[in-house]
Amino acid sequence: MRDKADYARKGIARGRSCVALQYAGGILLVAPNPSSALHKISEIYDRIGFAAVGRYNEYENLRKAGVTYADITGYQFDRHDVTARGIANWYAQTLGTIFTESPKPFEVEIVVAEVGAEPADDQIYRITFDGSVTDEPGFVAFGGQADQVSAALKERYSDDMSLSEAFAAALAALSAPGNGERPEFAAAQLEVAVLDRARDHRTFRRIRAARLEEMLAETRPAAEPPAETSEASSGTASSDTASSGTPPSGSSPSGSPGTAPDSPSDTEPPTGPGPGGSDRGTGLGGGSPL
Protein backbone atom coordinates (compact mmCIF):
# COMPACT_ATOMS: atom_id res chain seq x y z
CA MET A 1 0.00 0.00 0.00
CA ARG A 2 2.87 2.34 0.78
CA ASP A 3 4.42 1.64 -2.61
CA LYS A 4 1.14 2.41 -4.37
CA ALA A 5 0.75 5.66 -2.43
CA ASP A 6 4.31 6.75 -3.30
CA TYR A 7 3.72 5.87 -6.94
CA ALA A 8 0.54 7.96 -7.09
CA ARG A 9 2.08 10.95 -5.27
CA LYS A 10 5.08 11.05 -7.61
CA GLY A 11 2.84 10.93 -10.67
CA ILE A 12 0.65 13.78 -9.41
CA ALA A 13 3.65 15.90 -8.36
CA ARG A 14 4.99 15.90 -11.93
CA GLY A 15 2.12 18.12 -13.07
CA ARG A 16 1.30 21.76 -12.41
CA SER A 17 -0.77 22.87 -9.45
CA CYS A 18 -4.30 24.21 -9.83
CA VAL A 19 -6.28 26.46 -7.49
CA ALA A 20 -9.91 27.02 -6.57
CA LEU A 21 -10.93 29.97 -4.41
CA GLN A 22 -13.98 31.90 -3.35
CA TYR A 23 -14.57 35.52 -4.34
CA ALA A 24 -17.48 37.86 -3.74
CA GLY A 25 -19.41 36.68 -6.81
CA GLY A 26 -18.80 32.94 -6.62
CA ILE A 27 -15.91 30.48 -7.01
CA LEU A 28 -12.91 30.89 -9.33
CA LEU A 29 -11.07 27.89 -10.83
CA VAL A 30 -7.63 28.43 -12.43
CA ALA A 31 -5.37 25.78 -13.99
CA PRO A 32 -2.20 26.11 -16.08
CA ASN A 33 -3.13 24.26 -19.26
CA PRO A 34 -1.65 24.94 -22.73
CA SER A 35 -4.21 22.66 -24.39
CA SER A 36 -7.45 24.17 -25.67
CA ALA A 37 -9.10 20.76 -26.03
CA LEU A 38 -8.08 18.63 -23.03
CA HIS A 39 -9.79 20.40 -20.16
CA LYS A 40 -8.85 20.17 -16.51
CA ILE A 41 -11.92 22.22 -15.45
CA SER A 42 -15.49 21.28 -16.35
CA GLU A 43 -19.11 21.41 -15.25
CA ILE A 44 -20.71 18.55 -13.33
CA TYR A 45 -24.21 19.88 -12.63
CA ASP A 46 -26.22 23.09 -12.33
CA ARG A 47 -24.13 24.82 -9.65
CA ILE A 48 -21.28 22.33 -9.36
CA GLY A 49 -17.85 22.46 -11.00
CA PHE A 50 -15.06 19.90 -11.36
CA ALA A 51 -11.29 20.37 -11.54
CA ALA A 52 -8.57 17.72 -11.62
CA VAL A 53 -4.85 17.18 -12.06
CA GLY A 54 -2.90 14.04 -12.95
CA ARG A 55 -3.42 11.58 -15.78
CA TYR A 56 -5.94 12.97 -18.23
CA ASN A 57 -7.51 9.65 -19.25
CA GLU A 58 -8.11 8.72 -15.61
CA TYR A 59 -9.71 11.92 -14.40
CA GLU A 60 -11.70 12.27 -17.63
CA ASN A 61 -13.28 8.88 -16.93
CA LEU A 62 -14.07 10.05 -13.41
CA ARG A 63 -15.59 13.29 -14.72
CA LYS A 64 -17.92 11.45 -17.09
CA ALA A 65 -18.92 9.03 -14.34
CA GLY A 66 -19.63 11.98 -12.03
CA VAL A 67 -21.86 13.63 -14.63
CA THR A 68 -23.81 10.37 -15.04
CA TYR A 69 -24.16 9.97 -11.28
CA ALA A 70 -25.42 13.54 -10.89
CA ASP A 71 -27.91 13.24 -13.76
CA ILE A 72 -29.36 9.94 -12.49
CA THR A 73 -29.64 11.29 -8.93
CA GLY A 74 -31.39 14.43 -10.12
CA TYR A 75 -33.77 12.41 -12.30
CA GLN A 76 -34.67 9.85 -9.65
CA PHE A 77 -35.12 12.32 -6.80
CA ASP A 78 -34.85 16.08 -7.26
CA ARG A 79 -32.31 18.45 -8.77
CA HIS A 80 -31.77 20.02 -5.33
CA ASP A 81 -30.67 16.61 -4.04
CA VAL A 82 -27.55 16.77 -6.22
CA THR A 83 -24.87 18.41 -4.05
CA ALA A 84 -21.10 18.79 -4.13
CA ARG A 85 -20.88 16.86 -0.87
CA GLY A 86 -22.75 13.90 -2.33
CA ILE A 87 -20.60 13.87 -5.49
CA ALA A 88 -17.41 14.23 -3.43
CA ASN A 89 -18.41 11.26 -1.26
CA TRP A 90 -19.15 9.20 -4.36
CA TYR A 91 -15.74 10.08 -5.83
CA ALA A 92 -14.09 9.21 -2.50
CA GLN A 93 -15.70 5.76 -2.47
CA THR A 94 -14.75 5.13 -6.10
CA LEU A 95 -11.11 6.20 -5.68
CA GLY A 96 -10.82 4.33 -2.38
CA THR A 97 -12.01 1.12 -4.01
CA ILE A 98 -9.60 1.56 -6.94
CA PHE A 99 -6.69 2.27 -4.57
CA THR A 100 -7.25 -0.83 -2.43
CA GLU A 101 -8.32 -3.34 -5.08
CA SER A 102 -6.51 -2.31 -8.26
CA PRO A 103 -2.82 -3.13 -8.82
CA LYS A 104 -2.30 0.44 -10.08
CA PRO A 105 -3.90 3.42 -8.28
CA PHE A 106 -5.28 6.42 -10.16
CA GLU A 107 -2.76 9.26 -10.37
CA VAL A 108 -5.32 12.01 -9.86
CA GLU A 109 -6.49 14.67 -7.42
CA ILE A 110 -9.97 16.12 -7.77
CA VAL A 111 -11.77 19.21 -6.53
CA VAL A 112 -15.57 19.45 -6.52
CA ALA A 113 -16.96 22.94 -5.88
CA GLU A 114 -20.53 24.16 -5.45
CA VAL A 115 -21.60 27.82 -5.39
CA GLY A 116 -24.44 28.72 -3.04
CA ALA A 117 -26.93 31.55 -2.88
CA GLU A 118 -24.70 33.20 -0.24
CA PRO A 119 -20.91 33.03 0.25
CA ALA A 120 -21.43 31.08 3.45
CA ASP A 121 -23.14 28.34 1.43
CA ASP A 122 -20.20 27.77 -0.94
CA GLN A 123 -18.55 24.35 -0.74
CA ILE A 124 -15.12 23.18 -1.94
CA TYR A 125 -14.03 19.54 -1.50
CA ARG A 126 -10.68 17.96 -2.31
CA ILE A 127 -10.48 14.22 -3.06
CA THR A 128 -7.08 12.51 -3.26
CA PHE A 129 -5.97 9.35 -5.05
CA ASP A 130 -6.67 7.09 -2.05
CA GLY A 131 -10.24 8.29 -1.53
CA SER A 132 -9.54 10.79 1.26
CA VAL A 133 -11.93 13.76 1.13
CA THR A 134 -11.45 17.11 2.89
CA ASP A 135 -13.58 20.22 3.16
CA GLU A 136 -11.54 23.27 2.06
CA PRO A 137 -13.16 26.55 3.14
CA GLY A 138 -12.10 29.61 1.18
CA PHE A 139 -9.45 28.20 -1.14
CA VAL A 140 -7.48 25.11 -2.07
CA ALA A 141 -4.36 24.34 -4.10
CA PHE A 142 -3.95 20.79 -5.38
CA GLY A 143 -1.60 18.79 -7.57
CA GLY A 144 2.02 19.56 -8.38
CA GLN A 145 3.80 21.46 -5.61
CA ALA A 146 0.57 22.14 -3.75
CA ASP A 147 2.22 23.04 -0.42
CA GLN A 148 4.20 25.97 -1.86
CA VAL A 149 1.22 27.20 -3.88
CA SER A 150 -1.12 26.92 -0.91
CA ALA A 151 1.28 28.90 1.31
CA ALA A 152 1.55 31.67 -1.29
CA LEU A 153 -2.22 31.73 -1.79
CA LYS A 154 -2.84 31.94 1.95
CA GLU A 155 -0.81 35.16 2.13
CA ARG A 156 -2.90 36.81 -0.60
CA TYR A 157 -6.37 35.45 0.05
CA SER A 158 -9.04 37.50 1.80
CA ASP A 159 -12.80 37.36 2.09
CA ASP A 160 -15.04 39.21 -0.40
CA MET A 161 -12.36 39.71 -3.05
CA SER A 162 -13.42 40.92 -6.47
CA LEU A 163 -12.94 38.65 -9.47
CA SER A 164 -9.84 40.59 -10.57
CA GLU A 165 -8.32 40.42 -7.09
CA ALA A 166 -8.99 36.69 -6.82
CA PHE A 167 -7.49 36.10 -10.26
CA ALA A 168 -4.38 38.12 -9.34
CA ALA A 169 -3.98 36.11 -6.12
CA ALA A 170 -4.33 32.84 -8.03
CA LEU A 171 -1.72 33.85 -10.62
CA ALA A 172 0.73 34.98 -7.93
CA ALA A 173 0.31 31.68 -6.09
CA LEU A 174 0.72 29.58 -9.25
CA SER A 175 3.93 31.51 -10.01
CA ALA A 176 5.40 30.63 -6.61
CA PRO A 177 8.93 29.17 -6.57
CA GLY A 178 8.96 25.42 -7.04
CA ASN A 179 5.79 25.23 -9.13
CA GLY A 180 7.39 25.03 -12.55
CA GLU A 181 9.68 27.16 -14.69
CA ARG A 182 7.34 29.84 -16.08
CA PRO A 183 7.00 32.88 -13.77
CA GLU A 184 4.35 34.44 -16.00
CA PHE A 185 1.38 33.10 -17.89
CA ALA A 186 -0.16 34.05 -21.21
CA ALA A 187 -3.84 33.65 -21.93
CA ALA A 188 -3.16 30.61 -24.11
CA GLN A 189 -1.43 28.87 -21.17
CA LEU A 190 -4.34 29.19 -18.74
CA GLU A 191 -7.71 27.53 -18.27
CA VAL A 192 -10.04 29.70 -16.19
CA ALA A 193 -13.67 29.23 -15.22
CA VAL A 194 -16.09 30.57 -12.62
CA LEU A 195 -19.20 29.41 -10.82
CA ASP A 196 -21.09 32.71 -10.99
CA ARG A 197 -23.46 33.20 -8.08
CA ALA A 198 -25.53 35.80 -9.96
CA ARG A 199 -26.55 33.41 -12.75
CA ASP A 200 -29.66 31.29 -12.52
CA HIS A 201 -29.69 27.53 -13.00
CA ARG A 202 -26.41 26.98 -14.91
CA THR A 203 -23.67 28.93 -13.11
CA PHE A 204 -20.56 27.46 -14.79
CA ARG A 205 -18.89 29.76 -17.34
CA ARG A 206 -15.48 29.63 -18.94
CA ILE A 207 -13.44 32.83 -19.21
CA ARG A 208 -11.87 32.93 -22.64
CA ALA A 209 -10.03 35.04 -25.20
CA ALA A 210 -10.63 38.79 -24.89
CA ARG A 211 -11.99 38.75 -21.33
CA LEU A 212 -9.06 36.64 -20.13
CA GLU A 213 -6.61 39.03 -21.81
CA GLU A 214 -8.28 41.95 -20.02
CA MET A 215 -8.00 40.21 -16.65
CA LEU A 216 -4.31 39.46 -17.29
CA ALA A 217 -3.73 43.12 -18.21
CA GLU A 218 -5.34 44.19 -14.93
CA THR A 219 -2.87 42.11 -12.91
CA ARG A 220 0.29 43.27 -14.70
CA PRO A 221 0.49 46.98 -13.69
CA ALA A 222 0.34 46.07 -10.01
CA ALA A 223 2.99 43.37 -10.42
CA GLU A 224 5.27 45.36 -12.74
CA PRO A 225 5.35 49.08 -11.76
CA PRO A 226 7.13 51.37 -14.26
CA ALA A 227 10.18 51.70 -12.01
CA GLU A 228 12.65 52.47 -14.80
CA THR A 229 10.50 55.31 -16.12
CA SER A 230 10.16 56.81 -12.65
CA GLU A 231 13.91 56.62 -12.02
CA ALA A 232 14.66 58.20 -15.38
CA SER A 233 12.21 61.01 -14.66
CA SER A 234 13.68 61.78 -11.23
CA GLY A 235 17.18 61.65 -12.66
CA THR A 236 16.31 64.13 -15.41
CA ALA A 237 14.65 66.52 -12.99
CA SER A 238 17.64 66.39 -10.60
CA SER A 239 20.16 67.12 -13.35
CA ASP A 240 18.14 70.11 -14.58
CA THR A 241 17.93 71.55 -11.08
CA ALA A 242 21.61 70.98 -10.37
CA SER A 243 22.76 72.64 -13.58
CA SER A 244 20.64 75.77 -13.36
CA GLY A 245 20.06 76.07 -9.64
CA THR A 246 16.32 76.57 -10.17
CA PRO A 247 13.83 74.63 -12.25
CA PRO A 248 13.02 76.19 -15.66
CA SER A 249 10.05 78.53 -15.45
CA GLY A 250 6.93 77.68 -17.42
CA SER A 251 7.94 74.07 -17.85
CA SER A 252 7.04 70.81 -16.15
CA PRO A 253 9.05 67.61 -15.74
CA SER A 254 8.96 65.73 -18.99
CA GLY A 255 9.59 62.24 -17.64
CA SER A 256 6.62 61.82 -15.35
CA PRO A 257 4.89 58.51 -15.98
CA GLY A 258 1.43 58.60 -17.50
CA THR A 259 -1.64 57.28 -15.85
CA ALA A 260 -2.84 53.81 -16.63
CA PRO A 261 -6.02 53.52 -18.69
CA ASP A 262 -9.23 52.65 -16.92
CA SER A 263 -9.48 48.92 -16.32
CA PRO A 264 -12.65 47.09 -17.31
CA SER A 265 -15.31 46.61 -14.70
CA ASP A 266 -15.12 43.50 -12.58
CA THR A 267 -18.85 43.13 -12.98
CA GLU A 268 -18.57 42.43 -16.69
CA PRO A 269 -19.74 38.84 -17.23
CA PRO A 270 -17.11 36.38 -18.39
CA THR A 271 -17.32 35.07 -21.88
CA GLY A 272 -18.27 31.49 -22.46
CA PRO A 273 -21.06 29.29 -23.75
CA GLY A 274 -24.47 30.92 -23.97
CA PRO A 275 -27.27 30.04 -21.57
CA GLY A 276 -28.28 27.15 -23.81
CA GLY A 277 -24.73 25.85 -24.22
CA SER A 278 -23.00 23.24 -22.11
CA ASP A 279 -19.50 22.13 -21.19
CA ARG A 280 -20.75 18.78 -19.96
CA GLY A 281 -20.61 15.38 -21.61
CA THR A 282 -17.37 15.86 -23.54
CA GLY A 283 -13.77 16.54 -22.72
CA LEU A 284 -13.34 18.48 -25.95
CA GLY A 285 -15.88 21.26 -25.48
CA GLY A 286 -14.86 24.81 -26.32
CA GLY A 287 -11.54 24.14 -28.06
CA SER A 288 -10.22 23.19 -31.46
CA PRO A 289 -8.34 19.90 -31.85
CA LEU A 290 -4.60 20.12 -31.39
Side-chain angles (χ1 to χ4, degrees):
M1 299 295 285
R2 186 182 300 112
D3 289 343
K4 289 200 289 185
D6 291 341
Y7 174 85
R9 288 193 189 97
K10 290 178 181 178
I12 295 169
R14 285 195 293 267
R16 299 294 302 272
S17 298
C18 303
V19 298
L21 66 160
Q22 290 178 264
Y23 69 100
I27 298 175
L28 173 67
L29 305 166
V30 183
N33 186 7
S35 174
S36 61
L38 307 179
H39 294 310
K40 295 182 178 180
I41 301 171
S42 299
E43 180 185 23
I44 290 287
Y45 210 61
D46 295 347
R47 308 180 70 84
I48 302 174
F50 169 95
V53 294
R55 285 190 176 272
Y56 173 78
N57 65 313
E58 293 177 348
Y59 67 69
E60 177 64 9
N61 287 335
L62 290 171
R63 183 194 68 82
K64 291 179 179 179
V67 170
T68 302
Y69 168 82
D71 281 341
I72 292 176
T73 302
Y75 179 77
Q76 289 180 334
F77 302 100
D78 186 84
R79 299 187 75 88
H80 296 290
D81 292 328
V82 182
T83 63
R85 182 176 64 181
I87 295 175
N89 287 334
W90 183 84
Y91 275 137
Q93 294 172 11
T94 301
L95 285 172
T97 301
I98 293 172
F99 181 75
T100 55
E101 297 181 0
S102 173
K104 176 195 173 300
F106 274 19
E107 300 170 60
V108 297
E109 280 193 28
I110 295 172
V111 160
V112 178
E114 179 179 2
V115 64
E118 301 293 336
D121 300 328
D122 292 346
Q123 301 175 37
I124 301 176
Y125 298 97
R126 178 184 182 183
I127 307 100
T128 58
F129 59 88
D130 59 353
S132 300
V133 57
T134 55
D135 181 14
E136 302 285 352
F139 66 89
V140 61
F142 57 104
Q145 305 300 318
D147 292 339
Q148 291 91 325
V149 176
S150 182
L153 189 58
K154 185 177 181 180
E155 296 176 358
R156 295 167 174 82
Y157 176 80
S158 62
D159 294 333
D160 297 326
M161 292 189 297
S162 66
L163 177 58
S164 295
E165 291 170 342
F167 183 65
L171 283 188
L174 291 173
S175 302
N179 188 42
E181 301 177 354
R182 293 193 298 268
E184 297 180 1
F185 295 97
Q189 298 169 335
L190 289 171
E191 183 178 0
V192 183
V194 295
L195 297 172
D196 192 344
R197 196 187 322 279
R199 293 181 179 269
D200 294 330
H201 190 46
R202 305 289 287 275
T203 62
F204 182 89
R205 289 292 181 269
R206 294 191 185 277
I207 300 179
R208 308 177 190 265
R211 179 56 178 149
L212 184 54
E213 291 283 2
E214 291 173 1
M215 292 175 61
L216 284 169
E218 290 175 18
T219 64
R220 284 167 184 156
E224 301 177 5
E228 297 181 358
T229 306
S230 301
E231 292 174 0
S233 302
S234 61
T236 304
S238 300
S239 61
D240 290 342
T241 305
S243 60
S244 60
T246 58
S249 60
S251 63
S252 60
S254 59
S256 59
T259 58
D262 293 337
S263 59
S265 171
D266 291 334
T267 60
E268 178 184 345
T271 60
S278 172
D279 285 293
R280 300 170 57 204
T282 173
L284 305 178
S288 58
L290 294 178

